[in-house]
Amino acid sequence: KYIIRYFVMQGILRKYYLNFDKWLIRFVDGNINMLKFTEYLTVIFAACLKFAGGIFTGMAFGLSPNEVAICTAIGMVIAVISIIFGNHFLEKILDRFKVNKKKKKFSRLKRFAVRVKQILGLWGIAFLTPILFMPVGGTLIALSFKYSKWKILLLMTLSAIVCSPIMTHFLFFFKNLFL
């Protein structure tokens, strides 16, 4: 930009300066906003896979705790919606690659999930999803217990909205405390 202004001052680009300068400012501002938007999308995608991963990604990008909390909550909600309403499509794809093996009927994770369901119900599964389970895992556990899809979506969204600011500010506090 400064090089172009130099040439304009020298009289080389005088007649194209006004239009080009406006376009250049828009382009530079647009790229800065696009870079920020890309950072938000990265945090959202990381939160879709692992809730705390979104928080750590936001910390790495240097975003504010409020921005990270909002993007993390959005990422969890997107993951829950995609698992709830894309579950049949996912099952069809996975059935192609299924190998008939003898499986354990009850693993440690399944026993823990049943215990959480018996003690706390869907509320417990929803509020333990950001802390212990991944958004995908918590949604699949809730779906396996045959809860209503809309109830799962409502409680997981509520869980994301409540847990995201708490966990984000907690982790940012410890980051500032130790670094």
Side-chain angles (χ1 to χ4, degrees):
K1 185 175 181 179
Y2 297 110
I3 295 171
I4 293 171
R5 285 197 178 149
Y6 172 76
F7 286 123
V8 168
M9 294 176 120
Q10 298 299 323
I12 299 171
L13 296 173
R14 188 167 305 263
K15 65 181 180 179
Y16 299 108
Y17 171 68
L18 292 174
N19 291 334
F20 188 77
D21 192 36
K22 288 178 186 175
W23 176 82
L24 186 65
I25 290 172
R26 284 188 200 141
F27 181 73
V28 170
D29 289 343
N31 280 345
I32 291 171
N33 292 335
M34 195 64 184
L35 181 65
K36 199 72 156 170
F37 181 70
T38 307
E39 290 175 356
Y40 292 152
L41 281 181
T42 307
V43 172
I44 289 170
F45 181 71
C48 283
L49 300 176
K50 183 76 174 165
F51 194 78
I55 298 171
F56 291 127
T57 306
M59 282 183 189
F61 282 132
L63 298 176
S64 72
N66 294 334
E67 292 172 327
V68 174
I70 290 169
C71 289
T72 306
I74 290 170
M76 181 171 164
V77 171
I78 288 173
V80 169
I81 289 171
S82 62
I83 292 299
I84 286 177
F85 297 110
N87 192 23
H88 299 293
F89 179 71
L90 186 64
E91 284 178 358
K92 286 180 182 178
I93 292 174
L94 291 177
D95 282 343
R96 292 181 185 172
F97 301 107
K98 211 175 211 180
V99 179
N100 292 335
K101 286 185 182 177
K102 260 189 171 177
K103 290 185 184 178
K104 288 183 176 179
K105 288 194 177 186
F106 291 103
S107 65
R108 288 176 62 189
L109 180 64
K110 288 180 183 177
R111 285 186 184 149
F112 179 71
V114 169
R115 197 173 328 134
V116 168
K117 183 215 174 226
Q118 288 174 346
I119 296 171
L120 301 172
L122 183 57
W123 285 89
I125 293 170
F127 280 96
L128 286 177
T129 294
I131 300 166
L132 294 178
F133 312 123
M134 297 184 305
V136 175
T139 308
L140 289 175
I141 289 170
L143 282 173
S144 70
F145 290 125
K146 306 290 189 222
Y147 286 111
S148 167
K149 291 181 179 183
W150 294 105
K151 194 170 183 180
I152 293 171
L153 180 62
L154 176 71
L155 290 179
M156 292 286 185
T157 303
L158 185 65
S159 170
I161 291 170
V162 170
C163 291
S164 180
I166 293 170
M167 286 180 65
T168 302
H169 287 285
F170 181 76
L171 290 174
F172 267 85
F173 173 75
F174 277 108
K175 175 194 144 204
N176 294 334
L177 190 67
F178 293 118
L179 296 178

